[in-house]
Amino acid sequence: EVQLLESGGGLVQPGGSLRLSCAASGFTFGTYAMSWVRQAPGKGLEWVSGITGSGGSTYYADSVKAHFTVSRDNSKNTLYLQMNSLSADDTAVYYCVKQGLYSSTPFDFWGQGTLVTVSS
Amino acid sequence: QTVVTQEPSFSVSPGGTVTLTCGLSSGSVSTKFPSWYQQTPGQAPRTLIYNTNVRSSGVPDRFSGSILGNKAALTITGAQADDESDYYCVVYMGNGLWVFGGGTKLTVL
């Protein structure tokens, strides 16, 4: 059974940093592309970032390109999102999402999400 | 900047049929691997349909996807109270980039 467990969310001050983690199990992690999708309170879904199975290519929405970094450690079956220079606009639930073999393949399994709140 | 458009809200009677659509501000979604997701309040999204019309594992066959003109469509046949949710589409814009629509709030009444 595919499981994705996000962690690392919490309250952070504007300008601060946070690193999210997503522990994956139930599939051969390093074979599949992964993404982060966020949802601000009361708002819709927003794709944030993606990464290929090898980690060799990364992709970002324009809204986060300058201050988020996605990475993965396939030996630990873990996906990361390093978030720097956080602002109130980054307040959201962040979902870890499994894709298919390529970054052009759709999202199939979703984690339960971790809440990031940026506030002073 | 390409915008993905969805109806903000829709309503359907129990047992009825409803079609939600997903379009682009420019061009057709037909080549952009449109997918559909269902989300109830407080829950993570659930994958319904991917690659236009492929039903995800465990999704009832009353959910179906198609292309109508330049738009992707999600049709729910025989709507049930449980179907009252937010529905989101997402399209692939190339170069690893994805864009979600704003979502449709479906009411079953």
Side-chain angles (χ1 to χ4, degrees):
Chain A
E1 178 192 3
V2 173
Q3 291 194 345
L4 301 169
L5 184 61
E6 301 95 337
S7 61
L11 176 63
V12 60
Q13 292 190 338
S17 298
L18 213 54
R19 188 176 83 156
L20 306 183
S21 299
C22 171
S25 61
F27 64 102
T28 307
F29 180 69
T31 302
Y32 294 92
M34 300 290 293
S35 276
W36 289 98
V37 174
R38 69 182 180 184
Q39 186 170 35
K43 302 296 185 182
L45 300 173
E46 179 188 15
W47 176 83
V48 170
S49 181
I51 187 168
T52 54
S54 67
S57 294
T58 57
Y59 311 97
Y60 299 94
D62 286 345
S63 57
V64 305
K65 190 179 299 184
H67 61 123
F68 284 13
T69 302
V70 64
S71 62
R72 63 194 298 162
D73 185 337
N74 288 344
S75 69
K76 295 182 178 179
N77 289 349
T78 303
L79 176 71
Y80 302 101
L81 186 66
Q82 177 68 43
M83 305 185 295
N84 298 328
S85 303
L86 287 163
S87 71
D89 288 344
D90 298 313
T91 293
V93 173
Y94 286 74
Y95 294 102
C96 167
V97 190
K98 174 185 171 293
Q99 296 176 249
L101 298 179
Y102 308 107
S103 291
S104 59
T105 52
F107 314 132
D108 50 18
F109 288 97
W110 298 67
Q112 286 304 303
T114 186
L115 176 62
V116 173
T117 303
V118 184
S119 175
S120 55
Chain B
Q1 181 88 10
T2 300
V3 176
V4 178
T5 59
Q6 296 184 248
E7 299 87 357
S9 62
F10 230 116
S11 64
V12 62
S13 299
T17 296
V18 62
T19 296
L20 312 182
T21 67
C22 171
L24 288 179
S25 54
S26 175
S28 172
V29 299
S30 61
T31 60
K32 298 189 183 302
F33 310 114
S35 301
W36 292 91
Y37 304 87
Q38 178 191 48
Q39 187 182 36
T40 53
Q43 299 296 314
R46 168 198 182 196
T47 302
L48 294 176
I49 302 285
Y50 60 93
N51 290 350
T52 302
N53 57 12
V54 181
R55 207 174 294 115
S56 188
S57 177
V59 173
D61 60 7
R62 55 199 181 76
F63 291 91
S64 62
S66 63
I67 295 292
L68 294 179
N70 288 335
K71 295 184 177 183
L74 173 70
T75 299
I76 307 173
T77 305
Q80 301 179 0
D82 282 355
D83 298 335
E84 187 161 292
S85 302
D86 295 325
Y87 292 85
Y88 295 92
C89 71
V90 72
V91 298
Y92 181 63
M93 301 307 296
N95 297 316
L97 307 180
W98 295 84
V99 178
F100 280 92
T104 297
K105 184 176 183 62
L106 180 67
T107 302
V108 180
L109 51 76

